[in-house]
Amino acid sequence: MKTLITILSGKGGVGKSQISVSIAQSLKQEYSIKCFDNDSQVPTLSKYKSLNAKHLMIYDIDEDGEIKPETLDITRLDEISAEIEYGRNEIVLVDNGSSSFNPFLSAFSVEAIEMLYEEIANFNFIVVIPV
């Protein structure tokens, strides 16, 4: 069974990364898990070496660390889809920054999730939204 767990919120500072770390640490005891850090400004999850999280950058950042909105490229999220469809991990966990909220929902729209359901038997999609 494949499961995608994504932690999303359009608001910063609500504990997305802490929830991601807690979920990932507890699940890696029993399941094979691949973690992605989709936070362009504060990539907390990828700093935990034990989780081996892949840091995705869907935006470029200027010299002050600010996101350059015109550089949005949601095709950089294709690696998550590939891991879900072809990877060997049972669970794919994605920690999203507040700036990636709308792009992630666009990339993983209802249509995209339905296509994954058709391709992968017993696929689960879990969204955690801390507010």
Side-chain angles (χ1 to χ4, degrees), residues 2-125:
K2 288 281 191 167
T3 301
L4 171 63
I5 301 173
T6 184
I7 292 72
L8 282 168
S9 180
K11 168 124 180 41
V14 295
K16 292 181 296 294
S17 294
Q18 184 57 49
I19 289 169
S20 297
V21 169
S22 297
I23 291 172
Q25 291 284 22
S26 62
L27 290 176
K28 77 177 201 148
Q29 306 299 323
E30 292 188 42
Y31 301 96
S32 58
I33 184 168
K34 175 67 179 175
C35 297
F36 290 95
D37 192 334
N38 188 26
D39 191 332
S40 296
Q41 291 182 304
V42 186
T44 305
L45 191 65
S46 58
K47 292 178 182 173
Y48 285 82
K49 297 207 184 300
S50 65
L51 297 178
N52 196 27
K54 168 82 186 243
H55 184 205
L56 300 174
M57 291 289 291
I58 61 172
Y59 292 101
D60 292 335
I61 297 194
D62 66 19
E63 58 278 348
D64 296 323
E66 296 298 316
I67 289 174
K68 296 163 55 175
E70 69 278 6
T71 64
L72 172 64
D73 182 2
I74 63 171
T75 63
R76 295 176 187 173
L77 296 173
D78 289 347
E79 190 172 345
I80 296 170
S81 296
E83 180 63 37
I84 294 165
E85 193 165 355
Y86 306 113
R88 296 196 170 135
N89 294 295
E90 298 167 280
I91 296 171
V92 176
L93 182 137
V94 185
D95 179 20
N96 291 280
S98 57
S99 61
S100 60
F101 180 78
N102 288 330
F104 187 87
L105 289 181
S106 297
F108 289 89
S109 62
V110 172
E111 293 82 15
I113 296 300
E114 286 175 351
M115 288 183 352
L116 283 169
Y117 271 121
E118 291 172 10
E119 296 293 321
I120 303 170
N122 299 320
F123 174 74
N124 293 314
F125 185 60

